[in-house]
Amino acid sequence: MSILGNRVVRREDPKFLTVGGTYVDDLRDPRLEGAAHVTYVRSTMAHARITAVDVSEALAAPGVVRVLTASDLTGVGTVPFAVPMFPDGMARPFLAVDTVRFVGEPVAVVITEEKYQGEDVAELVFVDYDPLPAVVDVTDAATDEVLLFEAVGTNTAIAFDFGTDPDLFDGCEVVVTQELVNQRLAGVPLEVRAAAAAWGDDGRLTFWSSTQSPQAARDAIQAGFGFEEGSVHLIAPDVGGGFGPKIGVHPEDMLVAWLSREVGRPLRWVETRSENMMAMGHGRGQKQTVTIGGKRDGTVQAFKLDVLADAGAYPALGAFLPYLTRSMASGVYAFPKVECNTRTVVTNTMSTVAYRGAGRPEASAAVERAMDLFAAEIGMDAAEVRRRNLIPADDFPHTTAVGTTYDIGDYERALDLALEASGYADLRAEQARRRSAGDSRQLGIGVSVYVEVTAGPTAGGEHAKVEVRPDGTAVVYTGTSPHGQGHVTSWSMIASEQLGIPMDDIEVIHGDTDLVPVGVGTFGSRSLQLGGTAVHEASGEVVAMARRLAADRLEANPDDVVLDKVEGRFHVAGTPAVSATWAELAADAADEGGLVVDTEFTAGSPTYPFGSHVAVVEVDTETGKVTVERMITVDDAGKVLNPLIVEGQRHGGIAQGVAQALMEEVRYDADGNPVTSNLADYAVISACELPSFELVAMETPTSVNPLGAKGIGESGTIGSTPAVQSAVCDALSHLGIRHVDMPASPERVWQAISTAGSAS
């Protein structure tokens, strides 16, 4: 019987639940003995010329090792772009040179003997600013009236313009347009950003970083500062959450590496929570205009999505993500005509980066909201309008009107399962009863059907090495880098299934670029379908190698040798009494380099998970408070390796999606000052605001990889947000309220009710 598909308890958890993890700030490595501490002096202005920086008082303070400004960074260039598509003149300096462009931008760096001294010394650095007009709203930035980079001559960082068809909606009986906001979010990992650096006598740098992609971080440091290839050994210890913003390495992290060499001693840097909220990349940040047209029988004929995205002060990965929004613009629907153009502009705010879903939740939110608006306009049930426009299950692979090819799906079945589990007809009846009674607590039912791309946009590959040791145990080296996903358990399961070696005898090594020099990392829900498949392939090749060795030992034809996975022994088919163990075969292979296979699996295309969510909310029309009563979700990620881990990923994603719909928002005032710079002002969702999720199982295996697996880490986020927003709008629709932007906070909902009451 296969271990795959079973509810295997995570091997990682006992350590985290007892002694706890070892994070960057916990490190007590001998190489860091005597380390000094880095503190950044950050701008208090969103947009200003720097007229002077006086560090004299700071230099005289106790414990100061060094105080540096941009003029001290000899030979240091700008931060490398995440993608090479942005104007060179918009590149970010490691320390502001003559202009600051967001509150929190590093202006100087203080190095002190003790960590506590850093904040006091930073206060002694005097920066004289000549204020400039700040532009915070993307609509204002798009006018180019206030330029962040005068030499570039525009605030546009990148645009994906595929043209406009003036006849797009010709023949449509109904056309609906709505402006939407997909607000900024903060990643809020429990472990803030942290780094440590130590140069050895051999001229190599050992660098510790809380990162989702150690090899990419290593390469960025080497390339960014011109260090020799192979001169950086990067270690990612336990990582306390990532959610996208920890992909690669941040400018503040990178500079610690250069500073350590400059001052000739080990250095540590750990930011505060307020720094994390202000200066770690934010997610989302799109203003969208949706236009949808079709017939009164519910058939959609055309869909248009225009995106104006916020890059923040310096274009990073988030500036590129509207490309993914475009690629998923039509969602699960067989729209014959789709048009999507995007433009990303810089503003005097923190840069945007990847955040759970990274471009795909924005697409799902737009098209699902458009379907609700269309259904309301023609007076048809929102679920029925969706059903009439779904891509049929027998039409896969399916290429959408924007050119994206989905691998496989059964969207109608997902919708049916979600509606059935919710008791949809009974919910509508209860809603009608409350409306008829004039109840102050109104019921809202929201439906979403979604598709997303994982391991996208080009799939790529991932590295794995599997070795059986002379004692019969095995070790898996993986290029993925977990931060809560359960890779140790999952990769052990895959290797055990192939090798017949117990999971407890399999070690999984990750996050150390000397031990695993090749790897891509963990993001974009890519791990299982690429990294897990690489482990699967390498393990299979180790078995094939062992079978040949067993054939020599047993004096048999390799084709006649079988592996008894229960006993972990090889024998000739039909004669199990004479066998060879893994330990014996590993010893036989010792003189030939060992029983080890190093491989990389590359997928031919991404995969496209899908599902359907039903959200049931109660809205108090007297206070505006929204309570989520039920969340029913179908999240199809292909073949499931471990239901326990999949359910955990679904829970986390659903929670973050609900949080965007109802609570979370990074906000700035008109002058560019952040007003959500701590956890007292930024509303992170908790179990108190969430019901017990009702998870419905569905598996539609893909042919893209041998495991049949798709990604699951972000799906819950993509399906839950539009379902909850839809439910809030549905609860208020009988009051004449057509739309409520996210987050649907009590204040915003109450204002919508109040405005509607005044109008009526």
Side-chain angles (χ1 to χ4, degrees), residues 1-2 496-497 499-502 563-569 571 582:
M1 179 179 176
S2 173
S496 178
E497 165 69 16
L499 303 174
I501 296 175
L563 169 61
D564 182 341
K565 294 183 180 180
V566 175
E567 297 294 330
R569 296 171 177 268
H571 62 81
W582 276 111

Side-chain angles (χ1 to χ4, degrees), residues 565-637:
K565 294 183 180 180
V566 175
E567 297 294 330
R569 296 171 177 268
F570 291 83
H571 62 81
V572 177
T575 57
V578 181
S579 62
T581 67
W582 276 111
E584 291 169 337
L585 297 176
D588 291 347
D591 294 336
E592 300 177 7
L595 200 51
V596 57
V597 170
D598 200 325
T599 191
E600 180 166 327
F601 172 75
T602 301
S605 68
T607 61
Y608 293 85
F610 63 91
S612 180
H613 289 197
V614 176
V616 183
V617 307
E618 187 178 80
V619 178
D620 187 331
T621 57
E622 295 177 347
T623 66
K625 182 181 179 181
V626 177
T627 303
V628 182
E629 297 291 335
R630 295 177 65 193
M631 280 297 304
I632 304 97
T633 79
V634 177
D635 299 294
D636 191 317

